[in-house]
Amino acid sequence: MEVKEKAKIVVTVASLVAVTVLFVTEYRRRRSHRRKQIFPLSSCYLHSEMRPQFGFKRVLADNSYSEFKHLKLDDASSSSEKASNCHHPYESEITVLLENTQIEFGFLRGECSLEMSDSYVWVETESQLKELAEVLAKEKVFAVDTEQHSWRSFLGFTSLIQISTHEEDFLVDTIALHDAMSILRPVFSDPNICKVFHGADNDVLWLQRDFHIYVVNMFDTAKACEVLSKPQRSLAYLLEAVCGVATNKLLQREDWRQRPLSKEMVEYARTDAHYLLYIADALTAELKQLATDSSSPDDKFHFLLEASRRSNMTCLQLYTKETEDFPGSAAASSIIYRHLNGHGDTSTISLNAEELVRKICAWRDLMARIHDESTRYVLPDQAVVALACKQPTTTEDIYGTIAHTDLATESSPSLNSSVQSPYPVICSHLDDIYQMILNKLAKLDDILPLVLKKCLGTNGTCPISVFNYSLLLNFKTKLSSHSAPKQNGHKNFKQFTRKASRELFVKKFSCKAPVYHNCRIYANDGRLLCYCDKRKLEWYLNRGLAKLVEEDPPAIMLLFEPKGRPEDEGNDFYIQTKRNICVGCGEGKHYLRYRIIPSCYRVHFPEHLKSHRSHDIVLLCVDCHEVAHAAAERYKKQIATEFGIPLFVRRVLDSKEAQGTSSLTEDESMVNSEDAGVSPLHLRSAAMALLRHGNRMPSSRREELLQIVKMYYGGRDISEDDLERALLIGLSPHERRRRERKQGVSLKHSAEVARLDKQENDENNDGEGPADSEKIMNVERSTVADDSGDGGTSEGDGATELNDAQCNGNTLHQQNSKLSLLGHGPHGKQIVEYLLREYGEDGVRDFCQRWRKVFVDAVHPRHLPGGWNVSHSGRRDFGEFSVYNPTKRLSTE
């Protein structure tokens, strides 16, 4: 018996072991098969995905690092090939138009119906394109618009051109006709035919890049809006204001590669061009009327010709490829700056992860060029940050980190694609990132050639196309022709990248023209009143309020008795010439404006202490600006500690919900309810993620984000409208309008916001001296742009009063708030209110002096203008009719 029982036990155990072995083997086999499906490292997804641009036989702008070659006309004077890259082929024709601007035709022939018929011409064959060219050659004017695709392309390409004449609308399929579009070149370059665009700055460059089409003789309705000082200059605004037509600008982000286009896309595309001729005609009538109504009988400023001149100046632009010292260096520097310094995100990058960020960005740039994808499609910035911070050690963890980032952040929409994975480039080449994280590919100089050889070499995994073929020819030249970091270690690498980042910052943000023109304004008795810029001089001359007394440098004498005099200021700062150099070190090659009193405080000062005050706006080079800004940020923290008012709004709570669910007053709710509300940044991020990805989120993650939004609404159930409203929390009026435009919201709906924002801009405008129009004369002031003005705020702060009760960093949020809750605006408002309440205007003046001392101690300026003083009073009086006169402002409200 015992033997039989032992035998049974042995058989049972053996069976269990066998079953277990079989189970484990099958599990490993399936897991391995699944892993191969997720990470097909041996082949590229492009082998199974056909993209429209891969049907192009020739491209003028490939993805290599070589310069773009512009059209060289056969009849041009003999010159080198290099000259064709820096001279416009039709420069002489455009110059003639600029020197002899004439508009001798009407944009409309007879009466024009605003109703758009259902008929249009779809142009998709070469014969149809030739017929279109013949039709356009007989016209005096036609309207043009383009639709671009950039999500699944490295440089982007034109997907559709819309052309409208008086009789017909044409939609040109530029994907099917890409290699034949030169047929339209003669009509676009014909100086006798006017082409009407709206906001043509990009269209002009895109037509050059894709087809060598150069626009000659243009009327840009956006430039006309500039001359007319329209409150808005978007095409959507003009369509609604002039034609009564509403359009959904969200369709601009659709995938314009798809064929056939949907009915809504066709209507949108036609609308953009169909009404342009009518709009141009209406704007030219306004321009002519404005010239007729000019207050000066000797006014020589022709508004219509000025709009035409500005339009044709746009035609002189030349397309160039963006260049950088090393592949991906600009993107890497931007990511490191934003996240390392805590800007725009709650996560930060540690110093030891910087090099990994640069490696990934360099790899991303190269992969985008090879596959002709945008860098955002290859790998978004948020994913780069996540990989650098977490540094996952397995391929599954790497992919999981990227996928989780995609769900948690707002990324670009994934347009129609046959590839199911959101990041097919990553799936096909995941091992590259794996090797970089493990530091097996230690140097950038080693990584990129290996990746290129692996992808496009003799046995490369990726197909060669017209976009990436040239990479094989000039990639080594790109690496060796620039001062890339040598093999001296991390220190030289960081110095190189820091230099590249600095050069990029200088190029992007430094002033593009002299700030101080040092034009003089004299009173009618010959005494000097102030120095100003040329545009202010022209403002007086065009209205017959002054006469020109000197031409070089320009000087005018007022024809009326001014309100203010230099001696009213108590010093001679405003009657000193100012040099266009850094006041710190004297650098004159680049500089940018710096506001000594941070805008978050200054914007809340009383009008007579801030309006048209240039004493505390100076020029600094990038290096001195960085020093001054760092000192200011440190001092802000000291101010926050000293006054007990936090720099940021920590939590927000919907005021209606708080009042409906709490028996406490607003102040009591904020003081005593430390756990109430939610961070405005976390609220917006959660709402955005739910709206974009809520349906495909894991239920646990979705519930987590829902709880964040519910905290703002007092815990009640929320709807999709609640999520939309949550996205507006903390946004300034400018940011709200920009979001509304993207969503196609009616402009009438946002008219009040636009009016308030215009008021805000007026309040923030600064002049160069005390002799501004409203101060030196008793006439109504018109808005005049000033080169030295404080046109905005660095933190998006508004100037009007808030109804929000604030305490200890908590806010009951009102939807009509003019103040951004994401910056230092609420902090600055409370500081200024406290100073005025406790010490009056003397407290504000002392506060300003503290900031000037901080600036001087940090920068040690050696080139300050004469009369600049830490103890400057900033006193200011307003004339009876000044728009800044408090009594006048109250009467208009």
Side-chain angles (χ1 to χ4, degrees):
M1 256 332 257
E2 293 181 358
V3 175
K4 290 183 179 180
E5 289 179 356
K6 288 182 178 179
K8 287 181 180 180
I9 293 173
V10 171
V11 171
T12 303
V13 171
S15 300
L16 289 173
V17 171
V19 170
T20 302
V21 170
L22 289 173
F23 178 80
V24 171
T25 303
E26 179 64 17
Y27 172 77
R28 288 180 175 176
R29 186 189 68 80
R30 292 187 178 184
R31 183 179 179 185
S32 176
H33 177 69
R34 178 169 169 253
R35 182 175 176 181
K36 289 179 180 179
Q37 285 183 324
I38 297 176
F39 312 127
L41 303 178
S42 59
S43 64
C44 179
Y45 70 98
L46 291 180
H47 289 293
S48 59
E49 180 187 4
M50 286 303 299
R51 310 240 299 285
Q53 63 263 43
F54 289 160
F56 301 163
K57 294 180 180 178
R58 177 173 177 261
V59 291
L60 300 173
D62 58 29
N63 296 340
S64 70
Y65 301 96
S66 58
E67 292 183 354
F68 179 81
K69 292 185 178 180
H70 282 276
L71 177 69
K72 188 176 181 181
L73 299 177
D74 294 335
D75 57 348
S77 58
S78 57
S79 58
S80 65
E81 280 296 321
K82 186 176 181 181
S84 66
N85 290 337
C86 57
H87 291 291
H88 197 294
Y90 297 95
E91 183 177 356
S92 58
E93 289 87 343
I94 298 173
T95 302
V96 170
L97 289 171
L98 290 172
E99 294 174 351
N100 303 284
T101 304
Q102 294 182 353
I103 299 182
E104 300 177 346
F105 57 87
F107 289 100
L108 297 177
R109 289 201 298 259
E111 295 185 0
C112 176
S113 173
L114 287 179
E115 292 189 8
M116 189 169 63
S117 66
D118 294 332
S119 63
Y120 66 93
V121 180
W122 179 262
V123 181
E124 60 181 350
T125 66
E126 192 168 334
S127 60
Q128 289 177 311
L129 191 63
K130 290 179 180 178
E131 291 175 6
L132 173 60
E134 293 174 1
V135 170
L136 297 179
K138 300 175 183 177
E139 297 287 337
K140 286 291 184 182
V141 58
F142 59 85
V144 188
D145 190 32
T146 68
E147 301 298 338
Q148 299 292 311
H149 180 82
S150 59
W151 174 239
R152 298 295 307 276
S153 172
F154 183 73
L155 294 176
F157 59 89
T158 305
S159 302
L160 189 73
I161 293 181
Q162 306 98 281
I163 298 177
S164 290
T165 65
H166 296 93
E167 288 80 20
E168 285 185 294
D169 296 333
F170 300 88
L171 300 183
V172 182
D173 185 353
T174 53
I175 295 178
L177 294 169
H178 181 273
D179 300 316
M181 286 301 296
S182 59
I183 292 172
L184 293 183
R185 188 182 302 144
V187 292
F188 275 86
S189 59
D190 189 339
N192 297 313
I193 304 175
C194 180
K195 278 67 68 173
V196 180
F197 284 79
H198 180 87
D201 298 79
N202 288 327
D203 297 290
V204 165
L205 300 179
W206 291 333
L207 290 172
Q208 295 175 12
R209 175 196 66 193
D210 294 337
F211 315 118
H212 270 172
I213 288 178
Y214 297 82
V215 182
V216 179
N217 191 356
M218 177 205 298
F219 186 83
D220 190 335
T221 51
K223 301 299 181 185
C225 287
E226 288 181 9
V227 176
L228 289 168
S229 298
K230 291 283 186 181
Q232 297 185 47
R233 297 166 189 172
S234 67
L235 182 56
Y237 165 77
L238 290 176
L239 285 169
E240 187 167 344
V242 179
C243 306
V245 175
T247 183
N248 183 7
K249 278 298 175 182
L250 279 178
L251 290 171
Q252 190 176 32
R253 300 181 63 189
E254 288 293 314
D255 185 359
W256 288 95
R257 302 173 303 164
Q258 70 181 51
R259 298 292 184 268
L261 298 176
S262 67
K263 182 180 178 181
E264 292 77 16
M265 294 172 71
V266 169
E267 183 178 359
Y268 170 84
R270 290 183 60 199
T271 299
D272 276 4
H274 178 84
Y275 294 98
L276 268 184
L277 295 180
Y278 184 87
I279 291 172
D281 190 72
L283 293 178
T284 52
E286 288 188 47
L287 290 164
K288 292 175 182 177
Q289 185 62 38
L290 186 61
T292 303
D293 295 341
S294 174
S295 60
S296 172
D298 299 324
D299 191 354
K300 298 181 180 180
F301 188 77
H302 300 284
F303 295 94
L304 178 58
L305 298 186
E306 173 63 14
S308 178
R309 185 190 68 81
R310 294 186 188 184
S311 300
N312 283 309
M313 285 293 293
T314 305
C315 297
L316 283 174
Q317 293 184 113
L318 281 175
Y319 172 77
T320 57
K321 289 184 180 179
E322 292 186 9
T323 57
E324 48 191 352
D325 288 331
F326 202 75
S329 62
S333 298
S334 174
I335 291 173
I336 291 171
Y337 172 77
R338 284 184 285 119
H339 296 277
L340 184 62
N341 294 281
H343 292 280
D345 204 308
T346 55
S347 61
T348 57
I349 299 175
S350 60
L351 290 173
N352 60 4
E354 283 190 29
E355 189 170 354
L356 179 57
V357 170
R358 298 188 186 281
K359 287 181 180 180
I360 294 176
C361 285
W363 174 87
R364 180 180 69 167
D365 179 87
L366 181 58
M367 299 307 285
R369 293 174 185 271
I370 291 173
H371 297 83
D372 194 38
E373 303 280 14
S374 66
T375 55
R376 295 172 298 141
Y377 183 84
V378 174
L379 192 66
D381 289 351
Q382 295 87 350
V384 175
V385 174
L387 290 172
C389 292
K390 297 180 181 179
Q391 298 191 13
T393 55
T394 66
T395 52
E396 291 90 343
D397 289 343
I398 292 173
Y399 187 84
T401 299
I402 297 171
H404 179 75
T405 305
D406 180 49
L407 289 175
T409 59
E410 177 186 9
S411 58
S412 297
S414 202
L415 302 174
N416 296 338
S417 172
S418 59
V419 182
Q420 294 180 355
S421 166
Y423 300 113
V425 179
I426 298 297
C427 292
S428 298
H429 304 276
L430 192 65
D431 189 58
D432 292 342
I433 296 182
Y434 176 73
Q435 297 293 337
M436 283 188 288
I437 292 178
L438 292 185
N439 206 29
K440 292 183 179 179
L441 298 177
K443 299 175 183 176
L444 274 175
D445 290 3
D446 297 334
I447 294 173
L448 301 185
L450 288 175
V451 171
L452 184 65
K453 182 178 179 181
K454 177 182 175 182
C455 294
L456 299 179
T458 306
N459 298 314
T461 59
C462 304
I464 293 178
S465 68
V466 291
F467 294 96
N468 61 29
Y469 176 74
S470 294
L471 280 171
L472 293 170
L473 305 179
N474 62 16
F475 186 72
K476 289 184 178 180
T477 304
K478 168 67 179 177
L479 292 182
S480 60
S481 62
H482 295 279
S483 55
K486 305 301 178 183
Q487 301 178 2
N488 296 344
H490 184 66
K491 183 177 180 180
N492 283 350
F493 178 82
K494 290 185 66 176
Q495 289 175 348
F496 163 76
T497 53
R498 188 178 294 112
K499 179 182 177 182
S501 177
R502 180 183 181 278
E503 291 175 351
L504 178 67
F505 188 91
V506 169
K507 181 179 180 182
K508 186 172 183 180
F509 294 107
S510 62
C511 298
K512 305 300 187 293
V515 173
Y516 302 124
H517 297 164
N518 290 316
C519 303
R520 290 159 294 165
I521 297 181
Y522 291 99
N524 51 8
D525 60 1
R527 282 197 294 172
L528 179 63
L529 292 176
C530 73
Y531 286 86
C532 68
D533 67 352
K534 291 180 180 178
R535 285 185 290 180
K536 180 158 292 184
L537 228 62
E538 292 172 356
W539 188 89
Y540 287 116
L541 292 172
N542 291 336
R543 285 156 180 78
L545 301 172
K547 62 179 181 181
L548 188 67
V549 294
E550 291 186 37
E551 293 187 357
D552 190 20
I556 61 172
M557 179 178 289
L558 299 181
L559 302 179
F560 56 88
E561 178 60 31
K563 170 66 178 178
R565 295 283 184 171
E567 55 266 24
D568 296 339
E569 289 295 323
N571 61 52
D572 58 354
F573 171 79
Y574 292 106
I575 56 173
Q576 300 292 325
T577 59
K578 299 177 180 65
R579 300 170 62 191
N580 289 290
I581 62 173
C582 169
V583 300
C585 64
E587 171 65 58
K589 294 182 180 179
H590 68 269
Y591 43 78
L592 57 161
R593 295 181 184 88
Y594 177 76
R595 291 161 179 81
I596 296 174
I597 316 297
S599 298
C600 64
Y601 305 112
R602 182 189 169 282
V603 76
H604 302 294
F605 288 178
E607 292 293 350
H608 56 283
L609 294 181
K610 68 174 180 178
S611 296
H612 285 71
R613 303 288 79 193
S614 63
H615 180 274
D616 295 319
I617 302 174
V618 297
L619 300 183
L620 292 179
C621 67
V622 169
D623 301 312
C624 292
H625 192 287
E626 184 177 357
V627 172
H629 177 73
E633 290 302 303
R634 289 193 299 268
Y635 197 64
K636 278 184 185 178
K637 294 178 181 178
Q638 288 183 227
I639 294 290
T641 303
E642 176 184 343
F643 288 86
I645 298 174
L647 280 174
F648 294 98
V649 174
R650 296 196 185 106
R651 308 177 81 83
V652 290
L653 181 65
D654 184 62
S655 57
K656 296 180 181 179
E657 298 300 327
Q659 293 166 2
T661 58
S662 174
S663 61
L664 299 173
T665 65
E666 288 187 1
D667 288 342
E668 290 172 333
S669 295
M670 289 182 293
V671 174
N672 299 326
S673 303
E674 289 295 327
D675 295 332
V678 64
S679 160
L681 184 60
H682 291 167
L683 173 64
R684 293 193 64 243
S685 298
M688 178 63 70
L690 287 169
L691 283 170
R692 294 188 59 82
H693 309 292
N695 293 334
R696 57 191 184 97
M697 273 185 182
S699 57
S700 59
R701 177 61 176 165
R702 175 179 169 80
E703 185 60 30
E704 179 185 346
L705 296 179
L706 281 172
Q707 289 303 319
I708 293 176
V709 180
K710 286 181 179 180
M711 289 175 67
Y712 172 74
Y713 288 107
R716 68 169 174 83
D717 292 336
I718 58 174
S719 63
E720 187 168 328
D721 289 340
D722 292 328
L723 293 177
E724 291 284 356
R725 287 198 299 272
L727 288 179
L728 301 179
I729 302 305
L731 296 185
S732 66
H734 172 73
E735 293 168 325
R736 292 179 193 172
R737 287 202 314 279
R738 183 171 59 184
R739 177 168 181 78
E740 286 173 353
R741 285 196 296 269
K742 286 183 178 180
Q743 292 181 324
V745 175
S746 171
L747 289 161
K748 293 178 181 178
H749 174 73
S750 58
E752 180 65 13
V753 176
R755 183 189 68 78
L756 291 173
D757 193 51
K758 182 180 184 299
Q759 174 183 333
E760 173 188 356
N761 290 337
D762 289 342
E763 292 168 346
N764 289 340
N765 186 40
D766 290 331
E768 196 170 314
D772 301 296
S773 56
E774 77 281 3
K775 179 168 184 177
I776 63 178
M777 63 188 208
N778 290 320
V779 297
E780 184 70 27
R781 175 186 180 274
S782 296
T783 303
V784 182
D786 193 325
D787 284 349
S788 65
D790 183 7
T793 65
S794 59
E795 288 121 354
D797 306 328
T800 59
E801 293 293 324
L802 279 174
N803 294 322
D804 299 347
Q806 299 169 340
C807 182
N808 296 332
N810 295 314
T811 297
L812 291 179
H813 184 70
Q814 307 287 340
Q815 287 293 341
N816 292 328
S817 171
K818 284 281 290 174
L819 206 59
S820 171
L821 300 183
L822 303 182
H824 298 160
H827 159 82
K829 180 178 183 293
Q830 293 179 75
I831 293 290
V832 174
E833 286 178 344
Y834 175 82
L835 292 171
L836 290 172
R837 184 172 61 250
E838 298 295 327
Y839 308 105
E841 292 181 2
D842 289 339
V844 174
R845 292 190 181 95
D846 291 341
F847 188 70
C848 292
Q849 292 177 17
R850 291 172 62 177
W851 277 105
R852 294 182 193 122
K853 190 174 186 307
V854 169
F855 170 74
V856 171
D857 292 343
V859 179
H860 304 290
R862 304 189 302 273
H863 303 276
L864 283 167
W868 192 94
N869 197 312
V870 170
S871 302
H872 178 72
S873 67
R875 182 167 58 86
R876 172 71 184 277
D877 296 322
F878 297 98
E880 178 183 354
F881 299 100
S882 169
V883 296
Y884 290 103
N885 189 310
T887 58
K888 181 177 178 63
R889 293 175 63 82
L890 288 173
S891 65
T892 58
E893 290 178 355

